[in-house]
Amino acid sequence: MPQKHTIPLATGTLHLNLIPGKIPLHRLLGFAARVSSKRKFLLVSKVLGKHYPVSPKMMAWSYRALARLVLQQTVAAPSLWIGMAETATGLGYGVFAAAHQEGVQDALFMQTTRYVLQGHDYLAFEEAHSHATDFFLYYPEQAAHRHTFKTARTLVLVDDEISTGKTFLRLIKAYQAVNPQLEKVVIVSLVNFAHAADRRFLETESGVAVAWVCFREGELCFDDSHNAALDDITINVSGNGACKKPLLAWPGRLGMSTPMHWQAGTLERLLPLLGASDADPRPVLVLGTGECNPPAIMLGRDLELAGYKVKVQSTTRSPIHQGNAIAAVCQFTDNYGDNIPNFLYNLDLSAYRQVILCHETPLNDALLSRLHAWRAISARFQLTGPSTHDATLHFFRP
C-alpha cells in the first residue's frame, strides 16, 4: 500500500503517494515553497548538502549506495556519467567517484552548466520548470575524453530528484544525435516521483533500455493555492550570457576520467587556521559555490577523516520562500559576474566554529563581502597540472 503524505506550503499543498521503502522519508527530505511561477514547491534533500547542511559521512554513504545500485544494472563500457547543474553537480561527481572506487572502467564524468564557454561545442537543452532554463553540455576538451563522449554505450544521468523526467528526455535526445550507438540509460536520483506514464513516455521516446535507480519513489501532485502576494514575487536568476571561461576552474564541465586528488600538503596548510580538532565542539561548515561544490565536499570529507566535526553545504541561485524546511534565508550577489542573487539557506553562524568558503573564481567584492560577513576562510580551487585530476586549494583569511 502506498504511503500518503500531505505537506501544506505557502504556495499550495503537496501530495505524495510513496511506495514503501527502507529509508524513512523524513531522513531524506524536507519541503519548501519555491519563488517560481513554473513549479511552486521544492524537495529539500537532507543528504545532498545543498539547501541543508549535511555531514560528509552521510553524503559519502549516499554516493556509495547509489553507485552500487547503478553497477547492479550492468554498465557497459565505455560509459558517460552526467551530473545535472546546479543542484546535483556534487551528487553526480560523488556517485561517479564512488563507482570508480567500486571498479568501473572506461568511464567519463561531466556536468551540465548554465555558463557560456566560448570556443567549445555543446549540446543545448532546457529544464522547463527551472528558474534559469538554459543548460549546456559541452563536448570534452581532451581527445580521449571526446572519443568516450561520442561512443559511450551507457549513459548515467544523475539528479537529486525527478518529478517528470522531461529534462532527462530532452538531454537524451540531444545526446543521441551525437552518439546514435547509445544502448542504455541509467537514471539516478535520491528520490523519484515521476508518474508511471511519464516513465513509460521517456522509455518509449528514448528508444533504448532505461533503468531507474533511487532510494525512494512514488508519485506527487501539487494543488496551487494561487497566493497573489507570493505569485507576484519575481527574482532574476538568469546570467548575462557572457563567456565565463576565465572564471571557471572546476574541470567537470569539460570532462574527467578519474576522480580528483589533492596535491600533497593541501590539507596540512589549512589545519593551522582551524586549530586543534577538539578545541571547539562545534562543527566546521565547508561551503561550495553554485555549480562548484565538489571541492567543498572533498575538503569536508578530508577534515572529517582528520577528526573534525564537519557540515557541508553550497550556495545556490534558486530562490526559496522562508518556511517549512527553510528556517533562514541569506541573500548576496553572485561571484560569477552575473550580478544576480545567490542564496544560502538554513545558516546559523553560531552553530559553527569556522566557515570555509570554497570557490573557483578569483576573489572579488562579492566573495570578500561573504568572507567578512561570515568571518570565513577562503579556499580557492586550482588545478595544478595539465591533467584533470590533480588540484589544490589556496587558503586566505581576510
Side-chain angles (χ1 to χ4, degrees):
M1 287 288 293
Q3 303 167 355
K4 296 182 180 297
H5 298 263
T6 300
I7 302 98
L9 304 172
T11 51
T13 303
L14 186 62
H15 302 277
L16 301 181
N17 287 332
L18 200 64
I19 295 174
K22 295 181 179 179
I23 305 174
L25 184 66
H26 70 86
R27 297 199 175 203
L28 289 176
L29 286 180
F31 305 92
R34 287 162 51 111
V35 182
S36 173
S37 60
K38 299 173 183 177
R39 180 177 292 175
K40 297 182 178 181
F41 63 88
L42 183 73
L43 308 179
V44 183
S45 173
K46 296 181 179 180
V47 300
L48 184 68
K50 191 67 176 178
H51 308 104
Y52 196 86
V54 180
S55 72
K57 183 178 180 180
M58 173 63 74
M59 299 169 79
W61 165 83
S62 70
Y63 303 153
R64 184 171 58 253
L66 287 174
R68 289 175 176 174
L69 290 173
V70 172
L71 296 179
Q72 290 175 10
Q73 301 297 323
T74 308
V75 177
S79 60
L80 174 62
W81 302 60
I82 298 177
M84 302 296 287
E86 85 174 353
T87 306
T89 52
L91 177 66
Y93 171 78
V95 173
F96 164 77
H100 191 275
Q101 192 171 30
E102 292 289 324
V104 73
Q105 299 291 319
D106 199 6
L108 177 70
F109 170 75
M110 303 193 71
Q111 68 182 60
T112 64
T113 180
R114 291 192 175 101
Y115 295 120
V116 173
L117 300 177
Q118 290 180 357
H120 293 274
D121 296 330
Y122 61 87
L123 303 179
F125 61 102
E126 287 188 348
E127 184 180 39
H129 69 264
S130 178
H131 305 283
T133 59
D134 292 334
F135 281 79
F136 305 99
L137 177 64
Y138 287 96
Y139 286 42
E141 193 167 35
Q142 296 183 21
H145 294 169
R146 187 172 287 224
H147 177 73
T148 301
F149 181 84
K150 290 184 175 182
T151 62
R153 296 171 61 192
T154 307
L155 177 64
V156 182
L157 301 175
V158 184
D159 210 348
D160 60 316
E161 55 93 1
I162 301 171
S163 298
T164 66
K166 292 179 181 178
T167 300
F168 276 150
L169 181 57
R170 293 187 184 99
L171 176 53
I172 292 167
K173 300 297 285 185
Y175 177 68
Q176 285 175 311
V178 175
N179 178 16
Q181 304 172 68
L182 182 68
E183 300 172 6
K184 184 175 185 178
V185 176
V186 183
I187 296 178
V188 185
S189 58
L190 296 169
V191 293
N192 185 347
F193 292 113
H195 286 235
D198 291 326
R199 295 195 194 197
R200 288 193 299 269
F201 182 75
L202 184 148
E203 292 165 2
T204 301
E205 289 295 309
S206 65
V208 296
V210 177
W212 305 80
V213 167
C214 63
F215 289 140
R216 295 298 303 267
E217 58 187 318
E219 294 184 352
L220 63 77
C221 64
F222 182 72
D223 293 332
D224 194 331
S225 65
H226 301 289
N227 186 327
L230 296 181
D231 294 347
D232 288 343
I233 298 174
T234 59
I235 297 176
N236 175 33
V237 293
S238 296
N240 56 23
C243 177
K244 304 299 182 184
K245 192 171 183 178
L247 301 177
L248 306 180
W250 173 249
R253 303 176 183 93
L254 295 175
M256 303 172 62
S257 57
T258 59
M260 185 66 62
H261 298 286
W262 294 129
Q263 186 182 59
T266 296
L267 184 65
E268 288 73 16
R269 287 187 284 105
L270 171 63
L271 299 184
L273 298 176
L274 294 179
S277 60
D278 57 357
D280 189 323
R282 296 174 298 173
V284 175
L285 177 63
V286 185
L287 292 176
T289 48
E291 294 178 2
C292 184
N293 52 355
I297 298 168
M298 294 165 54
L299 178 60
R301 184 59 173 155
D302 287 345
L303 285 172
E304 196 175 58
L305 292 173
Y308 291 84
K309 294 180 181 178
V310 183
K311 296 289 186 180
V312 173
Q313 203 178 340
S314 179
T315 66
T316 174
R317 67 169 72 185
S318 176
I320 311 171
H321 293 292
Q322 187 168 342
N324 295 87
I326 302 299
V329 179
C330 179
Q331 179 176 332
F332 42 89
T333 303
D334 81 292
N335 57 304
Y336 287 87
D338 284 323
N339 197 33
I340 59 175
N342 274 196
F343 304 90
L344 183 64
Y345 296 105
N346 295 315
L347 176 64
D348 177 7
L349 286 174
S350 67
Y352 303 106
R353 62 181 288 175
Q354 179 67 66
V355 177
I356 302 171
L357 181 60
C358 290
H359 55 99
E360 60 180 336
T361 66
L363 280 172
N364 57 12
D365 289 343
L367 285 174
L368 286 170
S369 71
R370 291 303 93 207
L371 292 173
H372 285 293
W374 299 331
R375 298 180 180 178
I377 297 171
S378 161
R380 184 181 176 185
F381 175 86
Q382 182 186 34
L383 291 176
T384 55
S387 71
T388 57
H389 58 268
D390 293 310
T392 192
L393 292 168
H394 299 284
F395 301 105
F396 167 74
R397 187 194 290 275

